[in-house]
Amino acid sequence: MTPALAAESKTLFRLTGSNTVGAELAPRLVKGYLHSLKATDIKQRSDDEHHWISARLDGHAVEVPIVALGSSTGFKALHSDSADIGMASRQIKQKELEMLARFGNLTGAEAEHVIGLDALVIAVHPRNPIGQLTIAQLRQIYSGEILNWAELGGPDLPIRPLHRDIESGTRATFDREVFGGSQPAAGNVYEVSGNAETHQLVLRQPGAIGYLPFADATDVKKVAIKAGDLAAVIPDRGIIATEDFPLTRRLYLYKNPSQYKPHVDSFLQFVESPTGQELVAETGFINLTPVALKMTPYPNAPETYRALMEKAERLSISFRFADGSSELDSRALKDLHRLEQYMDNADRELSLTLVGFSDQKSNSNITDIISRFRALKVQGALLRDHQLGDSRILALGAFAPLTADREQAPIKNSRVEVWIN
């Protein structure tokens, strides 16, 4: 039930969906947006996963309700017109695209807004000696094939896997990255009500294992994850920012592209602005503002790439392509603007190198051509739309794949890195 004030308040817009986005991030962004409009008396009332942000704007009482019950509920609310913005901690699914097809393209830049990055941290009890797992071992744990930590070199202790509910975008991300798609829970898996319960059980139960958003995993034991031939890594802000960590995920806001509501569009613009992105970082997630990262050269890297890694810095932006196609995805189109702003604000003249990668194909000539084509695609967009023409291209084919998963490989491995010096 909304507060009594709601009867006389004007609803600016309504958000429904992901608990990861809706628990703390969305309320903070709404309050920041209202503050940017010079609203006064900004307050928050919460009841479990329901939040109401109220304020006075231009002398009138206004309110923004937020319902955070899982990513799937956001798309259902857009479908029933009970929300103006759907919050999601994973990309919209094919069946949801079909359900909302009457509104237009929900994966286009007008409807789909990437607002930050997160990673699923695999967490175990602080006394558990296991420090590294492969994606394949995670799959065996959550499918019930491995039932005791002793099978992995740990103590003789039953494993208690903790899983989010089927409506959760966090669960959907885990299932996609570990199983390649939605997967029914094994009989020994315990379903938790949310991230808070996962956190509590991991700290209390020696046999527990679960997954948590990066922002919620500050005081648990984090397990390094190994995917394919890449080294095992514990996620930090840098590797999440590049989206190279295997369990990285994007945080989304979706709107109906066939509707124009001034406050909806203004709010989305605020969230993607430097001020909004600062609030994303303050909430513990990784924002989309480009940062320069010094990377350790790969020992098996081609000589040209190794030389680049030694002398240059990598920007956290990585351009990716929609569904493995040749078209830049919704985040990439906005990252073009972020890269232009980064170059304009630099205190020295920078040179750009665009490094293209492709998915593994049977013919190495094809992978080289595809990786070069992707880098040229980004270079052309920078020159055509942003007057950034001074860049060189390095095509590395299928070197350094980020995943071996057949379904995810075309999207994750086909990328263009940005290096500056």
Side-chain angles (χ1 to χ4, degrees):
M1 235 8 210
T2 57
L5 177 65
E8 55 194 69
S9 294
K10 176 187 177 184
T11 299
L12 291 185
F13 51 89
R14 305 155 296 168
L15 296 105
T16 295
S18 164
N19 179 258
T20 299
V21 177
E24 294 184 29
L25 178 55
R28 184 174 292 206
L29 290 170
V30 170
K31 285 183 275 191
Y33 172 66
L34 291 169
H35 181 75
S36 75
L37 298 179
K38 311 293 191 220
T40 59
D41 198 26
I42 301 171
K43 295 177 181 176
Q44 176 176 341
R45 173 183 174 270
S46 297
D47 181 9
D48 292 329
E49 282 79 32
H50 294 71
H51 313 282
W52 297 269
I53 312 300
S54 61
R56 294 200 66 81
L57 180 63
D58 298 328
H60 301 286
V62 297
E63 187 175 67
V64 177
I66 302 169
V67 182
L69 294 173
S71 297
S72 297
T73 66
F75 299 111
K76 292 172 184 174
L78 287 175
H79 175 61
S80 64
D81 196 29
S82 57
D84 303 298
I85 297 173
M87 307 177 290
S89 57
R90 46 88 175 163
Q91 193 173 35
I92 187 170
K93 296 178 180 178
Q94 182 60 39
K95 64 180 181 180
E96 293 161 340
L97 282 172
E98 293 167 3
M99 176 178 71
L100 300 172
R102 68 186 187 279
F103 296 147
N105 181 13
L106 267 290
T107 61
E110 186 181 352
E112 182 180 76
H113 298 261
V114 180
I115 63 167
L117 299 170
D118 186 23
L120 298 191
V121 175
I122 303 302
V124 297
H125 190 273
R127 292 200 300 270
N128 191 326
I130 297 295
Q132 174 180 319
L133 291 169
T134 65
I135 293 291
Q137 288 169 330
L138 275 178
R139 186 161 55 245
Q140 289 174 300
I141 289 171
Y142 275 84
S143 64
E145 294 176 50
I146 294 179
L147 299 171
N148 194 295
W149 286 110
E151 299 175 65
L152 297 166
D156 183 9
L157 185 68
I159 300 175
R160 192 182 197 198
L162 309 175
H163 223 357
R164 287 292 306 276
D165 65 274
I166 201 69
E167 296 286 341
S168 164
T170 305
R171 161 77 174 269
T173 298
F174 182 88
D175 281 353
R176 184 183 69 244
E177 300 297 341
V178 174
F179 291 103
S182 183
Q183 179 80 6
N188 67 320
V189 170
Y190 176 76
E191 190 174 283
V192 298
S193 60
N195 298 323
E197 187 179 6
T198 299
H199 190 273
Q200 292 166 5
L201 291 176
V202 163
L203 292 178
R204 282 207 311 256
Q205 299 182 359
I209 181 172
Y211 47 89
L212 288 166
F214 181 75
D216 294 340
T218 53
D219 59 348
V220 297
K221 179 175 177 181
K222 304 177 182 72
V223 178
I225 299 301
K226 180 174 175 57
D229 295 330
L230 299 182
V233 288
I234 294 174
D236 60 26
R237 301 188 75 84
I239 196 169
I240 298 171
T242 63
E243 298 189 84
D244 284 1
F245 180 65
L247 298 179
T248 299
R249 60 175 174 172
R250 296 176 173 187
L251 305 178
Y252 296 87
L253 296 179
Y254 286 87
K255 61 159 277 190
N256 178 345
S258 68
Q259 288 183 345
Y260 172 68
K261 295 186 177 181
H263 276 294
V264 170
D265 285 17
S266 295
F267 173 68
L268 292 170
Q269 289 170 10
F270 170 81
V271 172
E272 293 173 324
S273 74
T275 303
Q277 287 298 295
E278 284 178 17
L279 295 177
V280 171
E282 287 175 12
T283 315
F285 296 106
I286 286 74
N287 66 20
L288 305 179
T289 304
V291 293
L293 304 165
K294 191 63 186 170
M295 309 294 286
T296 302
Y298 300 144
N300 63 333
E303 184 55 41
T304 50
Y305 190 44
R306 185 178 177 81
L308 181 67
M309 298 181 89
E310 288 173 348
K311 69 180 181 180
E313 292 178 301
R314 181 181 168 188
L315 281 190
S316 53
I317 290 173
S318 290
F319 291 100
R320 284 182 163 79
F321 298 81
D323 298 322
S325 77
S326 62
E327 297 303 314
L328 291 166
D329 67 15
S330 63
R331 178 193 167 179
L333 294 172
K334 291 166 186 174
D335 277 342
L336 293 169
H337 292 279
R338 295 186 180 104
L339 179 55
E340 179 184 8
Q341 290 171 349
Y342 184 91
M343 299 291 285
D344 287 345
N345 295 333
D347 56 7
R348 59 191 172 91
E349 190 166 334
L350 299 173
S351 64
L352 282 180
T353 301
L354 304 173
V355 184
F357 298 83
S358 68
D359 186 29
Q360 182 69 56
K361 305 289 183 187
S362 57
N363 187 321
S364 62
N365 289 332
I366 293 176
T367 62
D368 289 343
I369 290 169
I370 292 173
S371 65
R372 182 171 297 278
F373 174 77
R374 298 209 182 287
L376 285 168
K377 187 84 173 181
V378 174
Q379 186 185 56
L382 287 172
L383 177 60
R384 182 181 64 251
D385 301 324
H386 304 276
Q387 291 72 55
L388 289 176
D390 185 21
S391 60
R392 61 185 288 262
I393 282 176
L394 181 59
L396 295 184
F399 175 72
L402 299 178
T403 182
D405 179 79
R406 220 174 276 173
E407 184 178 335
Q408 292 299 309
I411 299 171
K412 288 202 164 192
N413 295 339
S414 299
R415 64 198 187 277
V416 175
E417 295 177 353
V418 181
W419 290 76
I420 56 170
N421 62 359

